[in-house]
Amino acid sequence: MDNVEISTDVSRLDIELIHRFLSLHSYWAKGIPLETVQRSIENSLCFGVYVNEEQVGFARLITDKATFAYLADVFILPDHQGKGLAGKLMVSIQSHRDLHGLRRWVLATADAHGLYEQFGFRPLSQPDRFMEIRNPEVYRRSDL
């Protein structure tokens, strides 16, 4: 594929495109408010995927850049899937200078296990040590 670029330049991100995809098409952030997307981007290390200067994908890392990273909100727009862009995105993420030497990377996925396994992700080795507070209805609340 010609003219593919992956960038961490936040000023290039199409926030409305990201919000539209997450709020309408993702299973993990359906209904997420625009303000929440903006705040998440401001406080994360973000990667935009561009083809001919047009944004076609996104991922963000919630990280301390020393020991831990949580990979979130990864997507490639449907018209651009199946062209190797997700793999290129993962290579770019894992080779980023601020993410070298991390002790732990985690993510959650319902349908992309095969992709992430290619990059070393495995099921939790000790799931009994992980806990969560889960609020799947948070974006449906009226007080946000």
Side-chain angles (χ1 to χ4, degrees):
M1 178 170 278
D2 294 330
N3 298 317
V4 174
E5 184 182 2
I6 297 171
S7 173
T8 58
D9 182 351
V10 177
S11 70
R12 292 183 64 189
L13 293 174
D14 183 339
I15 306 298
E16 291 179 9
L17 172 109
I18 296 165
H19 173 252
R20 187 170 47 256
F21 183 88
L22 293 176
S23 66
L24 299 175
H25 304 290
S26 75
Y27 61 83
W28 63 89
K30 195 153 305 271
I32 189 169
L34 176 60
E35 299 77 24
T36 303
V37 171
Q38 290 170 321
R39 195 167 64 242
S40 72
I41 288 170
E42 290 168 5
N43 292 292
S44 300
L45 175 59
C46 297
F47 293 77
V49 181
Y50 304 89
V51 174
N52 297 322
E53 302 292 321
E54 175 188 354
Q55 187 173 350
V56 300
F58 177 75
R60 67 185 183 92
L61 277 286
I62 304 152
T63 182
D64 61 8
K65 298 180 183 178
T67 65
F68 179 83
Y70 180 88
L71 179 59
D73 294 339
V74 180
F75 70 85
I76 302 294
L77 294 177
D79 289 349
H80 296 275
Q81 292 176 5
K83 299 176 183 176
L85 294 174
K88 289 179 181 185
L89 175 58
M90 289 303 301
V91 167
S92 182
I93 289 169
Q94 288 190 319
S95 64
H96 191 278
R97 68 184 177 282
D98 290 343
L99 303 173
H100 291 188
L102 299 181
R103 185 178 68 239
R104 177 168 286 139
W105 295 66
V106 295
L107 61 81
T109 185
D111 58 2
H113 296 79
L115 168 68
Y116 297 117
E117 286 170 351
Q118 295 174 50
F119 296 94
F121 285 89
R122 302 289 177 261
L124 294 173
S125 62
Q126 298 172 313
D128 55 313
R129 293 188 180 190
F130 284 78
M131 298 177 71
E132 68 178 350
I133 295 173
R134 188 166 184 269
N135 185 358
E137 304 299 318
V138 69
Y139 304 136
R140 294 191 186 137
R141 290 180 30 204
S142 61
D143 61 337
L144 291 178

